Amino acid sequence: MTRELVLGIDFGSASTIAGVLVGSRIELVQDAGDSVIPSVIYVPDRGDSVVGRRAIAHQIAEPSNTIRSVKRLLGLDSSSELVRRFAASTALPLDLTTPRPMFKLRSGAQAPEQVAAAIIGYVRTLAEQRFGVRIRRAVMTMSAGAPPGYRDAIIRASKIAHLELVDLIAEPVAASLALDLHSYPGNRRIIVCDFGGSTFDVSAVVQQGLRFTPVGVGGDHLLGGDDLDDALANTIAGVVYKKTRYDMTREVTRWTELVLRCENVKRQLSVVENTPLAMREAFTADGKRQDLRTVVDRPFAERAWATLMHRVREVIQDLLVRTGWAPEDVDLVGLVGGGSMIPVFQATVASVLPADRIRRADQPELAVAQGATLLTARHSRTSSELPNLVAT
Ligand SMILES: Nc1ncnc2c1ncn2[C@@H]1O[C@H](COP(=O)(O)OP(=O)(O)OP(=O)(O)O)[C@@H](O)[C@H]1O
Ligand SMILES: [Mg+2]
């Protein structure tokens, strides 16, 4: 391999997406035919770890050997409230007696950076195989409101994965490029709402020609797709408890399965009004294991999410106050992140920002990675037809 390409990476808590520029075309890395690569790793008691699509299959059967949402921990101390919340919501044993949290796996302890490195390294290898080139440098995105230790942690994780980060750019700036705003250079005030797996990030970005500058960030690090899944699972467990006095939240394996099934329900409800939810031997009633079979409709789910949607409104309103922008000052509202496909989320954003200026990325889960990949042009030795974008 003599040629070298620069990889653009959106390392997300739910999924990692990466791409390279071939001329001015974005080519995304594929994992088993899918460009959405789950940020999931399965660490067996013995033998090699499995990352991405193939790790997903182990989540239900072996939740205490399967790590997901590791991004939530990167750069945080064990004493952080966010770490405590993570520990409370996972079947994974975490050691919080050391200054930084550590996963206590039967095969040994692993730091969040090592786990992140395994995912990033896997994506790099997939890219090298697909494009037949050496990849040693990357442009990566990070949440505009990431905790202070995040930058160092992700640089270390990338280094372990044999990648030098030549640029770390704000996710909302990458999203603005994915929305193709650089093709219409003008002066704009942009609000980017990124509803991802673990966080809801809202950013104010000013576009001046080809220059994009974040001027304000807001967000909630306890408000993402994972939290919607938990809220829906809790509501369903509450209904089961009322009828049977059986508490589904107390059994780690079943609770994990219920949360994962709720994630699927959430995705379905973005396209249909109601969807079945089935889970074998979900609870015990009358001394027997019983299956859970129900139909979840949008109003039921939206009631479960009402408090979270209230926070979506508050986060946006708070950012407007801090930037001094009135809703009508905003020229464009960009929606990205997998969660932006949820109808009640879209309606919530439209209740605070001008509905006619909202633009959702065509593929909202891919948008940030597409922007990161466009920005690799600045570091490529091959000539590119792309304009010289300025992103800070
Ligand atoms: N069609 C859909 N409808 C509803 N939710 C969806 C849909 N597709 C994906 N999601 C949810 O979007 C979330 C993942 O979004 P995304 O890939 O943007 O997150 P991420 O970038 O990994 O996370 P973060 O930005 O918080 O680090 C998950 O919670 C997933 O369940
Ligand atoms: Mg994201």
Side-chain angles (χ1 to χ4, degrees), residues 10-13 71 171 194 196-197 337 368:
D10 170 18
F11 176 66
S13 53
K71 184 178 170 187
E171 286 169 0
D194 183 347
V368 170

Side-chain angles (χ1 to χ4, degrees), residues 10-17 36 39 71 171 194-201 224-226 229 263 266-268 270 336-342 364-365:
D10 170 18
F11 176 66
S13 53
S15 50
T16 298
I17 296 143
V36 176
S39 301
K71 184 178 170 187
E171 286 169 0
D194 183 347
F195 197 27
S198 71
T199 51
F200 174 49
D201 284 326
D226 289 354
D229 307 338
E263 198 236 351
K266 175 190 69 180
R267 284 174 186 260
Q268 294 301 320
S270 294
V336 298
S340 68
M341 287 185 257
I342 299 172
E365 266 176 301

Side-chain angles (χ1 to χ4, degrees), residues 207-223:
Q207 177 182 6
Q208 289 163 302
L210 290 175
R211 178 183 288 273
F212 294 82
T213 314
V215 294
V217 291
D220 189 328
H221 283 255
L222 292 170
L223 176 54

Side-chain angles (χ1 to χ4, degrees), residues 324-386:
W325 293 1
E328 57 275 14
D329 294 338
V330 178
D331 299 303
L332 193 127
V333 181
L335 301 190
V336 298
S340 68
M341 287 185 257
I342 299 172
V344 70
F345 170 78
Q346 296 163 8
T348 305
V349 175
S351 71
V352 232
L353 291 167
D356 58 338
R357 296 181 202 165
I358 295 179
R359 196 186 304 169
R360 188 154 57 90
D362 291 338
Q363 295 167 294
E365 266 176 301
L366 309 182
V368 170
Q370 289 166 335
T373 306
L374 287 175
L375 281 165
T376 63
R378 301 198 287 189
H379 304 278
S380 250
R381 293 198 185 96
T382 52
S383 69
S384 167
E385 296 145 36
L386 287 169

